[in-house]
Amino acid sequence: MSVPFSLFAEMQLQPETQLQFVLRKATNEARVILVLLAVFSIFAWYMMVFKGLQMRRAKKLNQFFESEFRNQKDVLGIFDRKLDVIGCPYFTVYQEGCQQLDARLKAGGESRQSRINLKGMEHVKRALESAVAKESIKLEAGLIILASAVSGAPFLGLLGTVWGVMDTFAMVGQSQIASLEKMAPGVSAALITTVAGLVVAIPSMFGYNALVHRLRVQTVELDNFAQELASKIETEYLKED
């Protein structure tokens, strides 16, 4: 029984770290802001990991579908096979374009015509453009959280610092005794919120920039695929005047 007690007594005698001292001296307002920044950080890291995996998976599926698309002889080959590739932006764009093409070729009937006119082709192109825009919005969804972390976290931390310094000077003014022993703990505790804000904002900034770059690349590739698909549809099905 004496061993656990001696270990506990030894832990009690150990001096507290600087961070523990600062947190102990922090005001309730600063602690609330630190909790908010911690929650902000959790959401930011979750979004960075989630969007990174989502874009990586979309890129792999796009590569697989592109190879399958180039190997087919007819534009509607994959569409007629009733394939379903969930989470693949290329497939979603392809499916939207082929559905519109199929509707124009059938023109209310059961059998397909061999050609469509220029007006029908314009409808197919608009369907492809709409699908590209929708898929780009899906990939972009959630990045606002990282943008908010980059721009908002430092200001939230600065708010806690200014508030803490204000309280420290108010305490000194009320006591009418200005000494380093009275001011240093309050000022150091106030500065911890600015540090926390930067800890949240800096990783979010790098993650946001990396994800935005990947988003732009994938959006351009998606638009190029839609244009290639439209060209193949024109070659195979557009009626020549």
Side-chain angles (χ1 to χ4, degrees):
M1 296 295 295
S2 60
V3 175
F5 179 78
S6 61
L7 290 175
F8 179 76
E10 186 178 350
M11 290 175 61
Q12 291 294 103
L13 293 175
Q14 290 180 352
E16 62 180 349
T17 63
Q18 294 177 350
L19 181 60
Q20 291 174 336
F21 174 78
V22 170
L23 292 176
R24 182 168 58 83
K25 292 294 183 178
T27 61
N28 292 331
E29 294 81 4
R31 290 171 182 170
V32 170
I33 291 177
L34 287 175
V35 171
L36 291 176
L37 288 172
V39 173
F40 222 155
S41 178
I42 292 172
F43 277 104
W45 277 101
Y46 169 79
M47 191 54 60
M48 281 189 286
V49 174
F50 175 76
K51 297 303 293 185
L53 293 176
Q54 181 191 25
M55 292 183 183
R56 181 182 178 184
R57 180 173 181 270
K59 184 177 181 180
K60 286 186 176 181
L61 290 174
N62 285 342
Q63 291 174 346
F64 291 140
F65 181 79
E66 185 177 13
S67 62
E68 184 70 17
F69 172 76
R70 294 184 186 281
N71 290 331
Q72 68 174 352
K73 296 180 180 179
D74 184 17
V75 170
L76 293 172
I78 297 177
F79 178 77
D80 290 336
R81 286 155 57 189
K82 307 295 183 182
L83 294 180
D84 189 10
V85 187
I86 300 175
C88 179
Y90 279 14
F91 174 78
T92 303
V93 173
Y94 171 83
Q95 190 75 359
E96 290 289 333
C98 288
Q99 286 178 353
Q100 188 65 229
L101 175 62
D102 185 58
R104 295 293 165 182
L105 287 173
K106 290 182 178 179
E110 293 296 330
S111 60
R112 290 175 180 167
Q113 301 175 5
S114 60
R115 298 287 179 176
I116 60 173
N117 55 26
L118 185 59
K119 184 178 180 181
M121 189 63 212
E122 289 299 323
H123 284 283
V124 173
K125 287 184 177 180
R126 281 197 289 268
L128 291 174
E129 292 173 358
S130 177
V132 169
K134 290 178 181 178
E135 289 303 306
S136 298
I137 291 174
K138 286 182 183 179
L139 292 174
E140 188 178 357
L143 291 183
I144 185 63
I145 295 177
L146 292 180
S148 300
V150 172
S151 59
F155 286 102
L156 194 59
L158 182 60
L159 173 63
T161 296
V162 173
W163 202 328
V165 172
M166 179 184 67
D167 286 345
T168 300
F169 279 106
M171 180 189 66
V172 171
Q174 289 175 344
S175 63
Q176 296 182 351
I177 300 175
S179 62
L180 185 61
E181 291 78 6
K182 285 186 173 292
M183 295 182 62
V187 173
S188 62
L191 291 173
I192 190 64
T193 56
T194 296
V195 174
L198 293 175
V199 168
V200 175
I202 292 174
S204 299
M205 177 188 66
F206 288 111
Y208 177 78
N209 290 337
L211 290 174
V212 167
H213 172 72
R214 292 177 65 178
L215 173 64
R216 289 174 180 171
V217 171
Q218 292 193 14
T219 301
V220 171
E221 291 175 348
L222 191 60
D223 187 58
N224 291 338
F225 173 77
Q227 293 182 15
E228 180 182 356
L229 177 59
S231 297
K232 286 194 172 185
I233 293 175
E234 286 183 351
T235 302
E236 293 186 26
Y237 293 100
L238 182 61
K239 185 185 300 183
E240 296 181 0
D241 294 334

